[in-house]
């Protein structure tokens, strides 16, 4: 829609998406929560028509370690993917209803993408118009995405020039991204036995890996994070337990275990012997959180990389 009411609605929905994203929900679960929110917003007490109905969303999460792209859609067109050296194809996925319809599930679609794949996400205003053939428009989009371009910016310009209607009747948004992958030299993984006596050894292993990466300045905080998260997984979680360090734009420490119980911060009293671990992790790192996995949960903490 258009106008102040629609703008306010989209602001609320965007804030909700950011909040739900921080909880690390899978795409299909995130859309389910967002759909519930829109339903509540649409049933406000004023009885007036509410602009939330008809909003669409495509939510995608890409993991540069596993190279998996997971996404789900609520009334939104499926993205196009261009694998290196291949022709553009539209992702076969089941789009749920627009947000606010309620009562129908959202399905997640997962792809494994080689490094350098191009993913094009767009709104339906790019290819849909009442005076335009839909199949012809999608063919134009496929050809434009497959044409050579020196950069993503140029590719975006080429797509808009070739596909966008001359006088669009709807807003048009286009986002084109290229995937990258983190090789084994930027990821370190250890299997952790459920033995508290082994925690010191994993602190040492993490320190040695940081030294190999030239990140000695991050050793103190990383040792503390590893110690607290691994100890908590051994004490309160379930096997199998894994420790993983990821060197990306930030330094990420992850500890996974087989329990689905989520951690929570609590303020320890003066004479408590425990309860301060997660609070220390939260205070010493830039961000932290947990996410549910198919076999349990993963708790992660992120530090900024030391300046070169």
């Amino acid at each position: 829609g258009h106008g102040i009411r629609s703008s306010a609605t989209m602001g609320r929905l965007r804030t909700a998406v950011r909040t739900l994203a921080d909880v690390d929900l899978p795409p299909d679960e995130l859309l389910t929560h967002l759909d519930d929110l829109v339903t509540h917003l649409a049933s406000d007490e004023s009885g007036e028509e509410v602009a939330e109905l008809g909003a669409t969303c495509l939510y995608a999460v890409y993991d540069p370690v596993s190279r998996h792209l997971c996404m789900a859609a609520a009334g939104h067109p499926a993205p196009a993917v261009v694998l290196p050296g291949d022709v553009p194809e539209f992702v076969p996925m089941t789009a749920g209803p627009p947000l606010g319809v309620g009562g129908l599930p959202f399905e997640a679609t997962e792809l494994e993408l080689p490094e350098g794949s191009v993913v094009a996400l767009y709104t339906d205003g790019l290819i849909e118009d009442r005076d335009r053939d839909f199949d012809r428009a999608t063919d134009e989009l496929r050809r434009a995405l497959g044409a050579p371009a020196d950069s993503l910016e140029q590719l975006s310009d080429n797509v808009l020039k070739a596909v966008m209607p001359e006088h669009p009747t709807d807003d048009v948004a286009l986002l084109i991204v290229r995937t990258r992958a983190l090789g084994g030299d930027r990821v370190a993984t250890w299997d952790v036995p459920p033995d508290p006596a082994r925690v010191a050894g994993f602190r040492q292993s993490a320190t040695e890996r940081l030294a190999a990466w030239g990140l000695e300045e991050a050793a103190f905080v990383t040792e503390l994070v590893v110690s607290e998260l691994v100890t908590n997984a051994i004490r309160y979680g379930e096997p199998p337990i894994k420790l993983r360090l990821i060197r990306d734009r930030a330094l990420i420490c992850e500890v996974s275990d087989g329990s689905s119980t989520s951690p929570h911060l609590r303020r320890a009293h003066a004479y408590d012997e425990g309860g301060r671990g997660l609070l220390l992790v939260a205070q010493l790192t830039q961000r932290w959180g947990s996410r549910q996995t198919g076999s349990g949960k993963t708790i992660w903490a992120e530090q900024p990389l030391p300046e070169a």
Side-chain angles (χ1 to χ4, degrees):
H2 302 274
I4 293 178
R5 192 173 183 83
S6 291
S7 298
T9 294
M10 294 311 295
R12 285 187 287 184
L13 295 185
R14 183 170 62 176
T15 299
V17 169
R18 285 184 173 274
T19 302
L20 294 170
D22 283 341
V23 187
D24 274 341
L25 292 176
D28 52 337
E29 292 186 26
L30 183 143
L31 289 185
T32 299
H33 285 281
L34 194 62
D35 183 61
D36 289 340
L37 172 64
V38 171
T39 301
H40 290 307
L41 291 176
S43 58
D44 64 354
E45 297 179 357
S46 66
E48 299 175 5
E49 183 181 354
V50 178
E52 288 87 351
L53 290 175
T56 66
C57 181
L58 176 75
Y59 185 79
V61 177
Y62 175 68
D63 183 345
V65 178
S66 66
R67 304 176 189 180
H68 283 175
L69 174 68
C70 185
M71 54 192 165
H76 206 81
V81 172
V82 187
L83 303 183
D86 207 342
V87 297
E89 296 291 345
F90 293 98
V91 178
M93 61 184 300
T94 302
L99 298 173
V101 173
L104 296 174
F106 299 98
E107 296 182 21
T109 299
E110 189 164 334
L111 305 173
E112 183 173 346
L113 299 176
E115 183 172 15
S117 299
V118 171
V119 183
L121 307 100
Y122 53 92
T123 57
D124 54 9
L126 180 66
I127 57 175
E128 293 184 11
D129 190 85
R130 56 176 174 265
D131 299 323
R132 193 179 191 196
D133 182 73
F134 177 78
D135 291 335
R136 180 179 177 182
T138 54
D139 287 341
E140 290 174 349
L141 176 57
R142 186 182 287 109
R143 286 195 298 271
L145 287 171
D150 295 331
S151 65
L152 293 181
E153 290 80 5
Q154 182 183 346
L155 180 58
S156 299
D157 290 340
N158 293 345
V159 169
L160 292 176
K161 291 176 183 177
V163 183
M164 190 169 68
E166 185 176 353
H167 301 289
T169 58
D170 195 3
D171 297 328
V172 175
L174 172 67
L175 173 65
I176 299 181
V177 296
R178 179 177 287 115
T179 65
R180 61 189 185 90
L182 295 179
D185 59 329
R186 301 174 72 88
V187 181
T189 306
W190 298 272
D191 292 318
V192 179
D195 179 4
R198 301 286 298 276
V199 175
F202 289 105
R203 286 201 305 266
Q204 180 63 30
S205 297
T207 300
E208 292 172 355
R209 178 50 60 105
L210 292 184
W213 284 340
L215 301 177
E216 292 90 344
E217 293 180 33
F220 175 77
V221 173
T222 303
E223 280 191 37
L224 185 144
V225 172
V226 168
S227 181
E228 294 297 338
L229 296 188
V230 170
T231 299
N232 282 353
I234 293 173
R235 183 176 298 172
Y236 305 113
E238 298 176 5
I241 302 171
K242 288 185 178 293
L243 166 65
R244 185 166 74 165
L245 290 180
I246 302 172
R247 180 189 178 187
D248 193 11
R249 294 186 177 95
L251 178 63
I252 302 170
C253 176
E254 295 182 344
V255 175
S256 304
D257 72 82
S259 169
S260 58
T261 303
S262 297
H264 63 278
L265 287 176
R266 69 180 181 89
R267 186 171 298 279
H269 297 291
Y271 299 103
D272 288 350
E273 294 184 3
R276 297 176 177 84
L278 274 182
L279 184 60
L280 286 173
V281 170
Q283 290 176 334
L284 292 175
T285 60
Q286 192 173 40
R287 297 193 309 152
W288 79 279
S290 67
R291 63 177 178 270
Q292 298 296 314
T293 65
S295 57
K297 68 175 179 298
T298 297
I299 305 175
W300 55 268
E302 179 180 299
Q303 305 173 56
L305 293 178
E307 294 184 5

